[in-house]
Amino acid sequence: MKNKRWMAILILLLLSLGFLNTGVRLWVDWLWFQELGYPVLFSKSLVTEILLTGISGFLFFVFVYSNSQLARRLARKQAHVYHESVVEFPQLEGLKRFIRWILLGVSLLLAYLVASWAGENWLEYLRFTHALPFLQEDPLFHRNIAFYMFRLPFYWFVVQYGFVSLLLAFLVSLLVYFLEGGVWLTRSGIRLAGSAKIHLSTIAAGFFVLYSCKYRLDIFDLLFSRRGIVYGASYADIKAELPALWMLVAASLVAAGLIFLSAFRRSYRLAVGAIAGLIVLNVVGTGVYPEIVQRFHVAPTEISMEKPYIQLGIQYTRMAYGINEVQEREFPALESLTSEALKRNELTLQNIRLWDHRPLLVTYEQLQVIRPYYDFVDVDNDRYLIDGQYRQVSLSPREIASQKLPSRIWINEHLTYTHGYGLCLGPVNQISREGLPQLLIKDIPPVSTTNIKVTRPQIYFGEISDSYCFVNTRAKEFDYPSGEDNVYTEYKGSGGISVENLFRKLLFSFRFKELKIILSGDIHGGSRLLFDRSIVRRASKLFPFLRFDHDPYMVINDEGHLYWMMDAYTTGENYPYSNPTPELGNYIRNSVKVTIDAFNGTVRAYISDPQDPIIQVYASMFPGVFLPLDSMPKDLRRHLRYPEDLFSLQASIYATYHMTDAQVFYNKEDLWRVPALSKSDGENIVEPYYTIMKLDLKDSREEFILMTPFTPATRDNMIAWMAARCDAPDYGKLFVYNFPKQRLVYGPSQIVSRFNQDTQIAQQLTLWNQKGSRVINGSLLVIPVENSILYIQPLFLAAEQSGSIPELKRIIVAYGNTIAMEESLELSLQQIFGGKGLTRREPGEEAAVKSTEASVSFNSLVEQAGGHYRRAEQKLREGDWAGYGEEIRKLGEVLKTLKEKTK
């Protein structure tokens, strides 16, 4: 007896600790949401989940337990027992004494499990109750898209909840009848008493009534069918499966009636026949018959049968992914560039991203980490007005990496080393004489050589700042290293939860399972707790219903404060006729821009796409949380970027769905792909990249864009390129520039092959790879300039040993049939186009360029002459006499220069 008592006490203690742990976590989270100013996000989601859990659990318990008690009362009234033929189960006799408690316990346990599952659907419930209309309706049933996005998922939840409730009530009641009487297992089969038969038949009839509702929802799910050429209802779905589903709706109701009537008959034939007929109709109507129609009626003339549905698939997929308003333009891809044209596009050439983010990140780590406990996570591209000039820059924050601390004691990790410090910022194209990046902001404290200043360099919230910390404590808080000494600071921000009193210290100690918090004399009432400092975790915890782009980036505002910018997406998986993407769904919008103060951790969410009904539903669910984009500070709004994840997805979809003609789409006559560069370990997809350029020759203004090239699916030549505008007032507009199909325009993999086949380049690469060093190929960039294309690839050199610093040694430029590889972009362009001063030289770059100019060799001039001669031959074959004459003139100038050099 004592053992049982101690066991009960132990179980009660464990349950209490579990509830206490949950309660403490919820309490601290409530304080966290309050501190950030979003208590409605916490309270509304929690209250909705609790109510949905409680109501669904209560209804389930009442339904199942009442049916079990009804079964007990009916079982006790059974007078007829098959004494001579009943199969006895003596081992179950002992359970009858505890059946009341067993039923109560089983019902409570099942109610808890079902309620927990139901509570997880709180978001579907809120979306259902706050649904707003789309501007489109489906083409088959003519219902607003909002029905499928917001209402249909909740209807499916209700049906599933009903199925679970009826099925478990049936099984529990059957068990009661089996134990108490009313259902007997005899040698001739199962025998049911009349009352048990009526009771169980009623539940079974309800089950089939619910099946009728399920088939009704299946009719709407035809809009997500995968049977046809495109995603959505096809010919066979509409002409064969749709009528069958309507028949199943009616047949399920008939089956429910027959099952109920069978309770009053001796034979089960009505029930068995009804169920068997429903199964046969289901198999034939939704499987066999539509497949026969598809194979033998549709397939022989598939394009004529499926054409209207293919057209719908194209139309609705383009709308769902936001590519229906892409503006298409023609790009002639001429070889008409001159040195004068390059000078007209000087700003474009100055902002070509020569520094690839991978070697640049390694360079930052080697030159600017300063101390081992700092780390650079990523390099981001953005644009700033630097000394009055619009420039693209690379920026990387210097964050604290607590796992790299020399001494990882608790005080160091959570009280002393609390934040990162400063960042590195430099132009994307400037190179020092040693082949290293030129930095405009560097070192600790940040030293700036331009108009951009960092006045608050502390980074308490970042990409790797995931551990909690206490600030304003009696312990010294490390700020930054200064020579052999350290500089300490006291946090002056508003972030974090105030400790206030001993009770909160106890609360935080229990929450983080750390006794040192309550015992520490350094933590006092004025201290503040900062946790969930990872910006991704922070944003995801606030907005679990949004998806976030993989690449947050840091921005310096006009006051010199640091902010993180994050792109968030609203997604859905029930957009009719829209082709789905794995692990995403079939609808997406970049509807939210999130900013996070790196010092205070303040989070603000701005609606960037007010036309998206999903974000408007969320704004209705959580009033005051989502702000209009116009309320974002202007100095942050200038740095909005079109997100890479969305652009990559849209490009991959557009590669197929740019074909808007059903016949062309069916035959895949003009299928594109994002090009891949062949590597020794497989293919490397060309990533989209940011650049500054003119999108319109008539517009004298360069702008910040995100772009990617396209090639045909089965060939390597370039067929088009896609661009997304990032600057106001044209932010978010998509353009596709189509190349002439009658003329070859080299694609990225073809250009790389030409680089590798070039004798001069191959010899140089072989030489570098044999001297204990290795060559790192930078990203190949396709740069449109006026009506022509430049291909540019930087080459980096790094030693084989660990800790080496990649140096930018060469820039390869290809234009038409000419390739040049020199130590700077300007020299490579000069070798191809002639002329001097094609690009503006930055401060500190003049001496490097002068020393490089002296290295232009006799062989370079010979190669330049050969390029003009090859282009002249090409123009002659094309019948372009004006172009031929121009190339011959340039050839003469190069030959004249050669003659002077040989004197």
Short mmCIF file of all heavy atoms in Angstrom, two decimals, residues 647-677:
data_model
loop_
_atom_site.label_atom_id
_atom_site.label_comp_id
_atom_site.label_asym_id
_atom_site.label_seq_id
_atom_site.Cartn_x
_atom_site.Cartn_y
_atom_site.Cartn_z
N PHE A 647 12.49 35.84 -55.95
CA PHE A 647 12.91 36.05 -57.34
C PHE A 647 13.36 34.73 -57.97
O PHE A 647 13.02 34.44 -59.13
CB PHE A 647 14.04 37.07 -57.38
CG PHE A 647 14.47 37.45 -58.77
CD1 PHE A 647 13.68 38.27 -59.56
CD2 PHE A 647 15.66 36.98 -59.30
CE1 PHE A 647 14.07 38.62 -60.84
CE2 PHE A 647 16.06 37.32 -60.57
CZ PHE A 647 15.26 38.15 -61.35
N SER A 648 14.11 33.93 -57.23
CA SER A 648 14.56 32.63 -57.76
C SER A 648 13.37 31.73 -58.06
O SER A 648 13.33 31.04 -59.09
CB SER A 648 15.49 31.94 -56.76
OG SER A 648 16.66 32.69 -56.55
N LEU A 649 12.38 31.74 -57.15
CA LEU A 649 11.18 30.93 -57.37
C LEU A 649 10.41 31.42 -58.59
O LEU A 649 10.00 30.62 -59.45
CB LEU A 649 10.30 30.97 -56.12
CG LEU A 649 8.94 30.27 -56.23
CD1 LEU A 649 9.13 28.77 -56.50
CD2 LEU A 649 8.12 30.49 -54.96
N GLN A 650 10.23 32.72 -58.68
CA GLN A 650 9.50 33.27 -59.82
C GLN A 650 10.23 33.01 -61.13
O GLN A 650 9.59 32.72 -62.15
CB GLN A 650 9.29 34.77 -59.62
CG GLN A 650 8.27 35.10 -58.53
CD GLN A 650 8.15 36.59 -58.28
OE1 GLN A 650 9.15 37.31 -58.25
NE2 GLN A 650 6.93 37.06 -58.09
N ALA A 651 11.55 33.09 -61.11
CA ALA A 651 12.31 32.81 -62.33
C ALA A 651 12.14 31.36 -62.77
O ALA A 651 11.97 31.07 -63.96
CB ALA A 651 13.79 33.13 -62.11
N SER A 652 12.17 30.43 -61.80
CA SER A 652 12.03 29.01 -62.16
C SER A 652 10.62 28.72 -62.67
O SER A 652 10.45 27.90 -63.58
CB SER A 652 12.34 28.13 -60.94
OG SER A 652 11.39 28.32 -59.91
N ILE A 653 9.60 29.38 -62.11
CA ILE A 653 8.24 29.21 -62.61
C ILE A 653 8.08 29.86 -63.99
O ILE A 653 7.49 29.27 -64.90
CB ILE A 653 7.22 29.82 -61.62
CG1 ILE A 653 7.28 29.10 -60.26
CG2 ILE A 653 5.81 29.75 -62.18
CD1 ILE A 653 6.85 27.67 -60.29
N TYR A 654 8.65 31.04 -64.14
CA TYR A 654 8.51 31.76 -65.40
C TYR A 654 9.21 31.03 -66.55
O TYR A 654 8.79 31.14 -67.71
CB TYR A 654 9.08 33.18 -65.26
CG TYR A 654 8.71 34.09 -66.41
CD1 TYR A 654 7.48 34.75 -66.42
CD2 TYR A 654 9.57 34.30 -67.47
CE1 TYR A 654 7.12 35.58 -67.46
CE2 TYR A 654 9.23 35.13 -68.53
CZ TYR A 654 8.00 35.76 -68.51
OH TYR A 654 7.65 36.58 -69.56
N ALA A 655 10.25 30.28 -66.23
CA ALA A 655 10.96 29.53 -67.26
C ALA A 655 10.04 28.59 -68.01
O ALA A 655 10.27 28.26 -69.19
CB ALA A 655 12.12 28.75 -66.63
N THR A 656 8.98 28.13 -67.35
CA THR A 656 7.97 27.29 -68.00
C THR A 656 6.73 28.08 -68.38
O THR A 656 6.20 27.95 -69.49
CB THR A 656 7.57 26.13 -67.08
OG1 THR A 656 8.72 25.33 -66.79
CG2 THR A 656 6.51 25.26 -67.74
N TYR A 657 6.29 28.92 -67.47
CA TYR A 657 4.99 29.56 -67.66
C TYR A 657 5.08 30.90 -68.40
O TYR A 657 4.10 31.66 -68.40
CB TYR A 657 4.31 29.73 -66.30
CG TYR A 657 3.77 28.42 -65.78
CD1 TYR A 657 4.57 27.55 -65.05
CD2 TYR A 657 2.47 28.03 -66.05
CE1 TYR A 657 4.09 26.34 -64.60
CE2 TYR A 657 1.97 26.82 -65.61
CZ TYR A 657 2.79 25.98 -64.88
OH TYR A 657 2.30 24.76 -64.44
N HIS A 658 6.23 31.19 -69.03
CA HIS A 658 6.23 32.31 -69.98
C HIS A 658 5.52 31.89 -71.26
O HIS A 658 5.11 32.73 -72.06
CB HIS A 658 7.66 32.74 -70.31
CG HIS A 658 8.40 31.77 -71.18
ND1 HIS A 658 9.01 30.64 -70.67
CD2 HIS A 658 8.60 31.72 -72.51
CE1 HIS A 658 9.56 29.96 -71.66
NE2 HIS A 658 9.33 30.59 -72.79
N MET A 659 5.36 30.57 -71.45
CA MET A 659 4.61 30.06 -72.61
C MET A 659 3.12 30.18 -72.29
O MET A 659 2.56 29.36 -71.56
CB MET A 659 5.00 28.60 -72.89
CG MET A 659 6.46 28.41 -73.24
SD MET A 659 6.89 26.67 -73.56
CE MET A 659 6.86 26.00 -71.90
N THR A 660 2.47 31.18 -72.82
CA THR A 660 1.06 31.42 -72.51
C THR A 660 0.12 30.79 -73.53
O THR A 660 -1.10 30.80 -73.32
CB THR A 660 0.79 32.93 -72.44
OG1 THR A 660 1.21 33.55 -73.66
CG2 THR A 660 1.55 33.55 -71.27
N ASP A 661 0.64 30.25 -74.59
CA ASP A 661 -0.17 29.54 -75.57
C ASP A 661 -0.25 28.07 -75.18
O ASP A 661 0.78 27.42 -74.96
CB ASP A 661 0.41 29.69 -76.97
CG ASP A 661 -0.44 29.00 -78.03
OD1 ASP A 661 -1.39 29.62 -78.52
OD2 ASP A 661 -0.14 27.82 -78.33
N ALA A 662 -1.47 27.52 -75.08
CA ALA A 662 -1.66 26.15 -74.61
C ALA A 662 -0.94 25.14 -75.50
O ALA A 662 -0.37 24.15 -75.01
CB ALA A 662 -3.14 25.82 -74.53
N GLN A 663 -0.95 25.35 -76.81
CA GLN A 663 -0.30 24.42 -77.74
C GLN A 663 1.21 24.41 -77.52
O GLN A 663 1.84 23.36 -77.45
CB GLN A 663 -0.62 24.84 -79.19
CG GLN A 663 0.00 23.94 -80.25
CD GLN A 663 -0.82 22.68 -80.49
OE1 GLN A 663 -2.04 22.73 -80.51
NE2 GLN A 663 -0.15 21.56 -80.68
N VAL A 664 1.78 25.60 -77.42
CA VAL A 664 3.24 25.72 -77.19
C VAL A 664 3.60 25.12 -75.84
O VAL A 664 4.60 24.40 -75.70
CB VAL A 664 3.67 27.19 -77.27
CG1 VAL A 664 5.15 27.35 -76.90
CG2 VAL A 664 3.41 27.75 -78.67
N PHE A 665 2.77 25.38 -74.82
CA PHE A 665 3.02 24.86 -73.47
C PHE A 665 2.98 23.33 -73.49
O PHE A 665 3.84 22.67 -72.89
CB PHE A 665 1.98 25.41 -72.50
CG PHE A 665 2.20 25.02 -71.07
CD1 PHE A 665 2.90 25.85 -70.22
CD2 PHE A 665 1.70 23.83 -70.55
CE1 PHE A 665 3.11 25.50 -68.90
CE2 PHE A 665 1.90 23.47 -69.24
CZ PHE A 665 2.60 24.31 -68.40
N TYR A 666 1.99 22.77 -74.14
CA TYR A 666 1.83 21.31 -74.19
C TYR A 666 3.04 20.65 -74.84
O TYR A 666 3.54 19.62 -74.37
CB TYR A 666 0.56 20.96 -74.95
CG TYR A 666 0.34 19.48 -75.12
CD1 TYR A 666 -0.17 18.71 -74.09
CD2 TYR A 666 0.66 18.85 -76.33
CE1 TYR A 666 -0.36 17.34 -74.25
CE2 TYR A 666 0.46 17.49 -76.50
CZ TYR A 666 -0.04 16.74 -75.46
OH TYR A 666 -0.23 15.39 -75.61
N ASN A 667 3.53 21.23 -75.93
CA ASN A 667 4.66 20.65 -76.66
C ASN A 667 6.01 21.03 -76.07
O ASN A 667 7.04 20.55 -76.54
CB ASN A 667 4.61 21.10 -78.13
CG ASN A 667 3.43 20.50 -78.86
OD1 ASN A 667 3.06 19.35 -78.64
ND2 ASN A 667 2.80 21.30 -79.72
N LYS A 668 6.00 21.91 -75.05
CA LYS A 668 7.25 22.40 -74.44
C LYS A 668 8.20 22.93 -75.51
O LYS A 668 9.41 22.68 -75.48
CB LYS A 668 7.92 21.28 -73.62
CG LYS A 668 7.07 20.75 -72.48
CD LYS A 668 6.85 21.79 -71.40
CE LYS A 668 6.13 21.23 -70.18
NZ LYS A 668 4.73 20.95 -70.39
N GLU A 669 7.65 23.69 -76.44
CA GLU A 669 8.43 24.16 -77.57
C GLU A 669 9.46 25.22 -77.17
O GLU A 669 10.48 25.38 -77.83
CB GLU A 669 7.49 24.75 -78.64
CG GLU A 669 6.55 23.73 -79.26
CD GLU A 669 5.58 24.39 -80.23
OE1 GLU A 669 5.88 25.50 -80.70
OE2 GLU A 669 4.52 23.79 -80.52
N ASP A 670 9.15 25.98 -76.11
CA ASP A 670 10.03 27.10 -75.75
C ASP A 670 10.36 27.06 -74.27
O ASP A 670 10.31 28.08 -73.58
CB ASP A 670 9.33 28.42 -76.12
CG ASP A 670 10.28 29.61 -76.08
OD1 ASP A 670 11.49 29.40 -76.20
OD2 ASP A 670 9.79 30.74 -75.93
N LEU A 671 10.67 25.88 -73.78
CA LEU A 671 10.97 25.71 -72.36
C LEU A 671 12.34 26.30 -72.04
O LEU A 671 13.32 26.04 -72.74
CB LEU A 671 10.93 24.23 -72.00
CG LEU A 671 11.03 23.86 -70.52
CD1 LEU A 671 9.83 24.40 -69.76
CD2 LEU A 671 11.13 22.35 -70.36
N TRP A 672 12.40 27.09 -70.96
CA TRP A 672 13.66 27.70 -70.53
C TRP A 672 14.13 27.06 -69.22
O TRP A 672 13.45 26.24 -68.62
CB TRP A 672 13.48 29.19 -70.26
CG TRP A 672 13.09 30.01 -71.45
CD1 TRP A 672 13.05 29.62 -72.76
CD2 TRP A 672 12.68 31.38 -71.43
NE1 TRP A 672 12.65 30.65 -73.55
CE2 TRP A 672 12.42 31.75 -72.76
CE3 TRP A 672 12.52 32.34 -70.43
CZ2 TRP A 672 12.00 33.04 -73.11
CZ3 TRP A 672 12.10 33.61 -70.76
CH2 TRP A 672 11.85 33.96 -72.09
N ARG A 673 15.30 27.48 -68.79
CA ARG A 673 15.82 27.10 -67.48
C ARG A 673 16.80 28.15 -67.03
O ARG A 673 17.38 28.89 -67.84
CB ARG A 673 16.50 25.73 -67.52
CG ARG A 673 17.75 25.66 -68.37
CD ARG A 673 18.32 24.25 -68.43
NE ARG A 673 19.41 24.13 -69.38
CZ ARG A 673 20.68 24.25 -69.08
NH1 ARG A 673 21.05 24.50 -67.83
NH2 ARG A 673 21.62 24.13 -70.00
N VAL A 674 16.99 28.23 -65.72
CA VAL A 674 18.06 29.06 -65.18
C VAL A 674 19.36 28.30 -65.42
O VAL A 674 19.47 27.12 -65.07
CB VAL A 674 17.86 29.31 -63.67
CG1 VAL A 674 19.02 30.10 -63.10
CG2 VAL A 674 16.55 30.05 -63.43
N PRO A 675 20.34 28.92 -66.06
CA PRO A 675 21.54 28.17 -66.49
C PRO A 675 22.35 27.64 -65.32
O PRO A 675 22.27 28.14 -64.19
CB PRO A 675 22.34 29.20 -67.29
CG PRO A 675 21.86 30.52 -66.82
CD PRO A 675 20.41 30.34 -66.45
N ALA A 676 23.11 26.61 -65.61
CA ALA A 676 24.00 26.00 -64.63
C ALA A 676 25.40 25.97 -65.21
O ALA A 676 25.60 25.80 -66.42
CB ALA A 676 23.54 24.59 -64.29
N LEU A 677 26.40 26.16 -64.37
CA LEU A 677 27.79 26.06 -64.76
C LEU A 677 28.31 24.70 -64.38
O LEU A 677 28.14 24.25 -63.24
CB LEU A 677 28.62 27.15 -64.08
CG LEU A 677 28.17 28.60 -64.32
CD1 LEU A 677 29.08 29.56 -63.58
CD2 LEU A 677 28.15 28.91 -65.80
#
